[in-house]
Amino acid sequence: MNFTEQTLYSLMAKTGENSSEWLPLIQHLQDTADMMSYLCDEFISPSFAKACGLEPDEFRKLVIFLAAVHDIGKATVIFQYKIGRNLPERRSALESAGIVFPDYYVKENAVKTPHALAGEEILNLLGCPECVSAVVGAHHGVPAESFQDLSMPKFEIAFYENYYGRDKGNIKVLQDIWQTIFDMALEYAGFSDVSELPQIDCSSQMLLCGLLIMADWLASNTELFPLLSLEELKPTAPMRAEHAWKRLDFPQMWKPEKVIMSDDDFKETFGFAPRSVQSEVLKIVENSENPGIYIFEAPMGCGKTETSLAASEILGAKCGKNGVFFGLPTQATANGIFPRILSWAETQSTELYHSVQLNHGSAALNPLFQNIQRGIPQEESDSGLIIHNWFCDSKKACLADFVTATVDQMLMLALKRKHVMLLHLGLSEKVVIIDEVHAYDAYMNEYLEMALQWLGSYKTPVILLSATLPSARRMSLIRAYLGIKKSDDSFEKEQGYPLLTWTDGKDIHQRRLSYDGAHKTVSVRKCADDDVVSIAKNVTENGGCVGIIVNTVRRAQMFAEILQDNAKVLLYHAQFVLPDRAKKEKQLVDLVGRKSTHESRSGLVVVGTQVLEQSLDIDFDMLITDMCPIDLLLQRMGRLHRHDRGERPDTAQTPVCYVVTDEYTDKHSASRKIYSDWLINKTFDILPDSITLPDDISPLVQEVYNATGDDKNYDDYINKQKNSIGRAGSFRIRKPKDSDIHRLLSRPIGTDDEQLAQAAVRDGISSFDVLLMQLRSDGSIHFLPDQYGGAEIPEYPDDEQCRQIAEQKLRLPTMFCQSWNIDKNIRELENNCMKYISGWQNSPWLKNQLVLFLDDDLNGELNGYDLHYSFEKGLEFTKKEECE
């Protein structure tokens, strides 16, 4: 070795904003290894080593080795040359050791060997197994596309000078340095020789990379690990990692202990004794030797949520998991269930604090989430739940204990996205629950199945909830989790209901569940648009309430308008600003929810879109609905006579569902653009005069979705499914079958764009949000009249005002998001933002937000459309020619 310890410590890892602070490479590697040790002891679950296919001691040694060597690629001439321009003293020390730096580098060539890739290639040169060095190569979020052999002759190594410079004497010095760092890492980790490093498969590489990224990010935080003064080669303050961990102040991870859930336990947690269907599911979970995936199909309102949470306690204890992820189809459904998740999470410990996260695009504006304690309080708190700031970044949110999110967050497990390994780390450590599985189309199902295949490779327990699924879809999800192509045909013939389908190890099981709830026979009648008013009046004039669920916002607004002279009308759809939508939701639950009174319901008509189908516990005396596929139609019927009531109007003593056929008979209707012609036609063909819930749910769904045909509609339906699957493949990662993770994220999407990443796992037209504000004739900008009293907003609002402005979010209708006009609309809105609100762009709440301005009368204009907003009807739009 021809260099001193001082030379080794002169290798540079990072510098501060100016040239007076720096950090030696050796110190950063030490910090990362020490932080990895804390993560092993305090953060990850006991099952994590097993998920990586390693024994606990072997796992611990390997991850500490990876941390201690992860930035070895910075010990190259190009990296030290670039950083050394700000640290001439350290550069001089390296030159004294014999490293000759070039006078210049070609800028375009300097970026061709990022230090993560260089690190992988150096480790391969030193004899490290390629499967292990691949983790180092991916620790900046994207695995290498390919790598080269640094032992080859100079002319065969691309960008040779990036590694060794242009002086032949550098080779020996650098290779000695690399070997020294490598040997130090082996020794610190507890390996006596490189041959002891284990072989790890593709799944293990993903998890280890996620853990390495986490350790590196923590060790790179200069608030936790301060930089040194230029004169220091080593820190003067000892125990850097110990101080950093204490300052980080992570809550203790969830460690459930109940492998059996008694009826008393269930009642203590949820406030009521379990129903028979719930007890049966929990007993099956308790008896599972090697828990896997559970698909629980049961009627609306029978307690699937509580069942899954109780099961997660058992599975968490049996499988050694340290958290729960609960995914739902939309922000509204996630917000709706969040209070119930918090209520359950509060019961999980009376002594420890646990971290929670609400993870979707508008989570920061959710008042319940915002009111949760930030960080572990200094004094004892009434609640054991906290929000830890480190988990508030979208890429780190799923590392918290209890996560409620839109399903996009789980689907992105299968997305080619930078740092996706962190998501794999977070979800592999949890019990994963996905609700409303029937709501996902062919495109999203491709991501769901691939995500399930990865979770299956990690032995992560998964619970899928649905009112009902087509049998083929159900078994496709089971096979995806197991990573197999075929299963016994008998499982697809099962039409029992309620039904649990599950895996125990590699074995598939299925059981019909007992049902002790009500059996409700719904009379099904067809009607036309013109009949709706008289049908509704027949109930409302007798003191009842009517629900009308249609397929588009414009139809909802139309029916609300024609009914308002005949009844009290509450309109609810997605195109309200967030505060108005929250008020509407509360009104809905108060007026027609479980605890609603005869007085609150009397004479009321609730008109809405598909948002009324999901998660809201509301109860109508009579239902009117647009034609839609059978599973969604049954979901809507779940809101009819949902609860036992002593008072129903004489004209609605028995449940009746009217199906409006206008959107069915019109071959060019909006409904046919939303849903498949084949599914709507087939639903119409088989629709009986009466449906008994829950008995008829599964047979009807299987009859529609298992049907085939030989006409154009069926061919179009199948081709559309194939096209969706093909499009999904563009940004979906591969199966966890390969030997390594190279090229796994080729052409990643949305590296830093959360909205783009979420859009990639959903099929359909691009969409975007706007903030709805009032620009008055005097040039002043105000909130809408119903928001904060229509207060004026200053040019430079404070942080609280910026948060209030950010609440005024609304997703523009599909009309404005078509491929042929979306860019024009965005440019028009951007121009208005630049013209009126340049002072807002400094706020993290408002940066890059688009604003749609309305005038004194709450009218606006966008790309040839007149718009109007009101609390009663939401956003309305009309093409100018229609107005004229």
Side-chain angles (χ1 to χ4, degrees), residues 64-79:
I64 290 177
F65 166 78
L66 286 167
V69 80
H70 78 283
D71 267 354
I72 194 172
K74 290 183 176 180
T76 55
V77 171
I78 182 58
F79 188 89

Side-chain angles (χ1 to χ4, degrees), residues 455-714:
L455 291 175
S457 74
Y458 301 142
K459 306 294 190 294
T460 299
V462 175
I463 303 172
L464 304 182
L465 306 176
S466 178
T468 189
L469 284 172
S471 58
R473 173 101 294 273
R474 175 197 308 140
M475 294 313 300
S476 182
L477 296 170
I478 292 284
R479 290 192 295 269
Y481 182 86
L482 292 177
I484 60 176
K485 293 183 178 180
K486 293 183 178 180
S487 56
D488 192 325
D489 291 343
S490 64
F491 293 118
E492 296 199 18
K493 297 175 182 177
E494 177 60 66
Q495 293 192 7
Y497 192 80
L499 186 70
L500 184 70
T501 309
W502 77 98
T503 64
D504 194 337
K506 291 293 183 182
D507 297 326
I508 303 172
H509 303 273
Q510 203 166 52
R511 182 180 298 177
R512 296 187 181 194
L513 304 169
S514 59
Y515 178 70
D516 55 9
H519 294 260
K520 174 175 60 183
T521 299
V522 178
S523 176
V524 180
R525 303 173 189 174
K526 298 181 177 72
C527 70
D529 283 358
D530 293 343
D531 303 322
V532 168
V533 173
S534 60
I535 292 171
K537 282 178 64 177
N538 190 39
V539 174
T540 57
E541 289 182 348
N542 285 278
C545 73
V546 176
I548 301 178
I549 305 178
V550 292
N551 297 337
T552 67
V553 172
R554 296 192 82 172
R555 278 178 63 74
Q557 291 169 333
M558 176 194 74
F559 280 121
E561 185 170 348
I562 63 177
L563 283 161
Q564 63 187 1
D565 294 333
N566 299 282
K568 298 180 295 185
V569 176
L570 175 59
L571 176 62
Y572 180 66
H573 53 72
Q575 284 162 17
F576 290 96
V577 293
L578 293 178
D580 286 351
R581 188 164 175 175
K583 292 176 189 174
K584 295 264 184 185
E585 233 173 77
K586 185 177 186 309
Q587 285 182 333
L588 268 171
V589 173
D590 290 345
L591 294 175
V592 293
R594 179 186 291 270
K595 297 180 180 179
S596 59
T597 64
H598 174 71
E599 290 72 26
S600 69
R601 303 165 61 82
S602 180
L604 177 67
V605 179
V606 175
V607 184
T609 55
Q610 295 90 333
V611 292
L612 291 175
E613 291 173 13
Q614 298 167 338
S615 295
L616 288 171
D617 186 3
I618 51 179
D619 174 19
F620 301 130
D621 296 322
M622 190 185 70
L623 178 68
I624 302 172
T625 171
D626 269 344
M627 193 70 209
C628 61
I630 187 66
D631 50 338
L632 303 183
L633 189 61
L634 293 168
Q635 188 79 2
R636 295 177 185 186
M637 287 183 186
R639 273 65 188 156
L640 178 59
H641 286 228
R642 188 180 180 96
H643 301 299
D644 290 332
R645 295 188 181 277
E647 297 177 279
R648 300 265 187 199
D650 292 339
T651 50
Q653 284 293 309
T654 59
V656 179
C657 174
Y658 283 91
V659 179
V660 184
T661 58
D662 293 57
E663 293 284 282
Y664 166 76
T665 56
D666 180 359
K667 301 304 180 185
H668 303 287
S669 66
S671 296
R672 287 185 174 273
K673 294 177 182 177
I674 298 169
Y675 303 118
S676 157
D677 277 341
W678 166 257
L679 290 179
I680 287 184
N681 291 349
K682 190 63 184 175
T683 299
F684 186 86
D685 291 343
I686 64 99
L687 196 61
D689 294 333
S690 67
I691 295 174
T692 300
L693 304 176
D695 310 59
D696 295 336
I697 290 178
S698 184
L700 288 173
V701 170
Q702 309 315 328
E703 185 174 358
V704 170
Y705 280 90
N706 291 341
T708 59
D710 56 4
D711 60 3
K712 182 179 183 300
N713 284 333
Y714 181 73

Side-chain angles (χ1 to χ4, degrees), residues 32 55 89 115 262 270 389 412 447 467 481 492 497 541 556 619 641 675 678 697 700 751 756 761 832 850:
T32 310
E55 293 298 320
E89 294 89 345
H115 73 264
S262 69
F270 300 107
N389 284 336
M412 283 191 278
Y447 284 95
Y481 182 86
E492 296 199 18
Y497 192 80
E541 289 182 348
D619 174 19
H641 286 228
Y675 303 118
W678 166 257
I697 290 178
L700 288 173
T751 54
L756 182 61
V761 294
N832 279 342
L850 298 171

Side-chain angles (χ1 to χ4, degrees), residues 138-142 210 213 217 395 417-424 745 751-752:
H139 84 268
H140 273 232
V142 179
I213 290 171
W217 282 6
K395 289 185 179 180
R417 185 189 185 207
K418 191 175 182 181
H419 298 122
V420 72
M421 304 84 164
L422 279 171
L423 186 57
H424 282 246
L745 303 185
T751 54
D752 294 307

Side-chain angles (χ1 to χ4, degrees), residues 768-824:
F768 62 96
D769 299 325
V770 295
L771 305 177
L772 222 54
M773 308 301 296
Q774 188 178 36
L775 178 63
R776 295 188 179 174
S777 52
D778 63 2
S780 60
I781 299 174
H782 293 252
F783 288 101
L784 303 184
D786 289 318
Q787 311 300 326
Y788 303 104
E792 183 176 356
I793 299 167
E795 183 178 358
Y796 293 95
D798 60 30
D799 187 68
E800 176 59 17
Q801 289 171 320
C802 288
R803 186 195 64 78
Q804 293 169 349
I805 295 168
E807 288 179 350
Q808 313 308 307
K809 185 183 293 186
L810 174 146
R811 179 146 293 181
L812 277 184
T814 302
M815 175 59 65
F816 299 98
C817 307
Q818 304 283 350
S819 58
W820 49 269
N821 69 7
I822 187 170
D823 291 338
K824 181 178 179 182

Side-chain angles (χ1 to χ4, degrees), residues 678 709-721:
W678 166 257
D710 56 4
D711 60 3
K712 182 179 183 300
N713 284 333
Y714 181 73
D715 292 341
D716 288 346
Y717 170 63
I718 296 299
N719 288 334
K720 186 177 180 180
Q721 300 263 37

